[in-house]
Amino acid sequence: MTENKITDAGEIGEAEAWVESWRKNAAYLSEHGMYNPADEHDSCGVGFVASIDGEPRRSVVEAGIDALKAVWHRGAVDADGKTGDGAGIHVQIPQDFFHKHIARTGHEADKGILAVGMVFLPKTDFNAQEACRSVVETEILRFGHQIYGWRQVPVNVSVIGDKANATRPEIEQIMIANGRGVDQDEFERDLFIIRRRIENRILEKHISDNFYICSLSCRSIIYKGMFLAEQLSDFYPDLLDPMFISNFAIYHQRYSTNTFPTWPNAQPFRTLAHNGEINTLKGNINWMRSHEVRMASKVFGDHMDDIRPIIQTGSSDSAALDAVFEVLVQGGRNAPMVKTLMIPESWSNDATMPETHRAM
């Protein structure tokens, strides 16, 4: 009996100590936040800002822009002093901002979440421009969704260099309503399949080599291009609008060393901002091509042929990684799981790692 009483007392003491420790930690976080100077490290031209409570704010976008400007030294500059090798920001879609623009066209936007496509079109070939728009609209409507219209994205070309301007695409946005009334996850998956169908149709019809969709989503949008970090918000005045809010901002300024600068290859990409230099690139692409013929998914169902090839020809190493990452996430896996699968830690000589982790 005495032994049991001592054990019980010990267990109560441990529980009380744990609760007291939890209270101290909670009090510290409440006063100081989660920042720890010991965790400080370089991230080589890429970073992430987020509102901890998940609420979209103007300050998050501003912090992302300021942080991008602070890593200007990570990007290359052309001899003209104004052409950069790529910079951009990936943020949540500011729904009220785009609803306002829809209202200006005379349409009444549905109260539900709308999707936005950020599209690079051929600048000088107007026939190709219109053919690309036609393919985009056809595939959206074919999937059962509705189109509010196109918006020409305001840009300030005076801030970029001559070389960047010479290759600058026509930059437009298409605004889309959830015509099928599906939930957000399914809407996002629809948009992924639609984007792949569009890209494949443009390629099959040989319409243009200067067509690219930066993002097509009901959740987020990407503003990027071949400019310097400090030029981002000057080139895209949208980012300065007080209504342009977000609960996260992923920013990037730096090319991988094995990529030539182009507008489409600027980052961030659709799921990643990644610094490249993958030494096994050719092998990875070949393995993906050999495996994707056997790919199957209940989520994608009969649309598997629409999303192949997973990696598009001419992709940079970061773009190739992003494409595979994206399809795995859209297929139902969460982002941390996909990261672990695609970029596994070194385990061969780790005797303490559980067998289940090795197997994964």
Side-chain angles (χ1 to χ4, degrees):
M1 290 293 292
T2 303
E3 188 175 318
N4 285 339
K5 286 181 180 178
I6 292 172
T7 302
D8 292 342
E11 289 175 350
I12 292 170
E14 287 178 6
E16 289 176 343
W18 185 90
V19 170
E20 182 60 25
S21 173
W22 182 87
R23 284 175 177 162
K24 286 180 178 178
N25 287 334
Y28 179 87
L29 288 174
S30 177
E31 184 177 352
H32 302 286
M34 297 179 69
Y35 175 73
N36 183 348
D39 295 330
E40 217 29 274
H41 61 277
D42 290 334
S43 55
C44 203
V46 60
F48 178 75
V49 178
S51 58
I52 295 174
D53 60 6
E55 289 299 315
R57 293 183 177 85
R58 176 67 197 151
S59 59
V60 172
V61 178
E62 292 171 344
I65 293 169
D66 290 343
L68 177 62
K69 291 178 180 179
V71 295
W72 60 269
H73 58 292
R74 300 310 310 179
V77 185
D78 190 75
D80 64 12
K82 295 176 73 176
T83 296
D85 62 350
I89 194 166
H90 186 178
V91 294
Q92 183 183 27
I93 293 175
Q95 293 285 327
D96 289 345
F97 174 87
F98 284 102
H99 275 83
K100 177 187 71 174
H101 286 286
I102 291 170
R104 284 179 178 174
T105 66
H107 292 87
E108 185 176 347
D110 185 77
K111 292 181 180 180
I113 293 175
L114 62 85
V116 181
M118 185 77 161
V119 184
F120 288 171
L121 295 162
K123 185 173 66 173
T124 56
D125 188 339
F126 299 111
N127 289 330
Q129 247 187 54
E130 192 54 39
C132 289
R133 289 193 196 96
S134 178
V135 171
V136 172
E137 293 171 3
T138 298
E139 295 303 335
I140 292 169
L141 296 173
R142 186 174 290 171
F143 231 86
H145 296 295
Q146 298 165 353
I147 299 169
Y148 290 120
W150 290 86
R151 173 180 181 252
Q152 189 167 37
V153 180
V155 294
N156 179 6
V157 298
S158 67
V159 302
I160 62 175
D162 292 339
K163 290 185 179 179
N165 197 32
T167 58
R168 174 176 57 87
E170 179 73 15
I171 305 172
E172 296 186 7
Q173 291 165 339
I174 185 165
M175 295 169 286
I176 307 161
N178 183 355
R180 296 178 57 217
V182 294
D183 63 32
Q184 192 179 89
D185 286 344
E186 190 167 352
F187 191 18
E188 187 73 0
R189 195 175 303 117
D190 283 357
L191 294 165
F192 168 68
I193 297 169
I194 289 168
R195 196 196 81 228
R196 292 299 296 121
R197 287 171 66 101
I198 292 167
E199 291 164 342
N200 285 334
R201 299 302 173 272
I202 297 287
L203 187 66
E204 289 166 5
K205 295 181 178 181
H206 306 287
I207 295 173
S208 176
D209 294 328
N210 297 311
F211 173 85
Y212 177 78
I213 301 176
C214 301
S215 56
L216 182 63
S217 170
C218 63
R219 291 173 173 158
S220 62
I221 188 166
I222 297 168
Y223 283 72
K224 67 179 187 176
M226 247 176 73
F227 35 70
L228 307 178
E230 61 265 31
Q231 296 169 339
L232 173 68
S233 55
D234 292 329
F235 182 77
Y236 287 120
D238 280 359
L239 299 174
L240 300 175
D241 193 299
M243 293 184 70
F244 207 97
I245 60 175
S246 176
N247 61 8
F248 78 92
I250 300 171
Y251 57 89
H252 189 284
Q253 158 84 357
R254 184 185 182 267
Y255 260 90
S256 56
T257 53
N258 56 5
T259 303
F260 287 109
T262 65
W263 283 79
N265 275 335
Q267 294 199 48
F269 288 119
R270 293 148 192 145
T271 54
L272 300 176
H274 174 262
N275 283 334
E277 301 181 50
I278 300 174
N279 296 324
T280 56
L281 176 63
K282 190 171 183 179
N284 290 351
I285 291 174
N286 288 337
W287 272 113
M288 192 67 232
R289 284 175 178 164
S290 66
H291 284 303
E292 69 182 24
V293 296
R294 295 177 290 146
M295 280 179 60
S297 168
K298 291 180 180 178
V299 170
F300 295 127
D302 297 333
H303 294 291
M304 290 305 304
D305 286 339
D306 291 326
I307 65 175
R308 286 190 284 247
I310 305 303
I311 300 172
Q312 292 180 270
T313 303
S315 296
S316 67
D317 52 1
S318 295
L321 178 68
D322 180 78
V324 181
F325 197 105
E326 181 185 33
V327 75
L328 291 175
V329 170
Q330 293 289 355
R333 293 179 172 87
N334 62 47
M337 168 67 78
V338 174
K339 180 205 174 259
T340 304
L341 288 169
M342 294 191 65
I343 314 173
E345 60 183 294
S346 181
W347 58 267
S348 56
N349 295 319
D350 186 354
T352 64
M353 181 177 286
E355 193 59 39
T356 51
H357 290 197
R358 289 170 180 265
M360 188 182 73

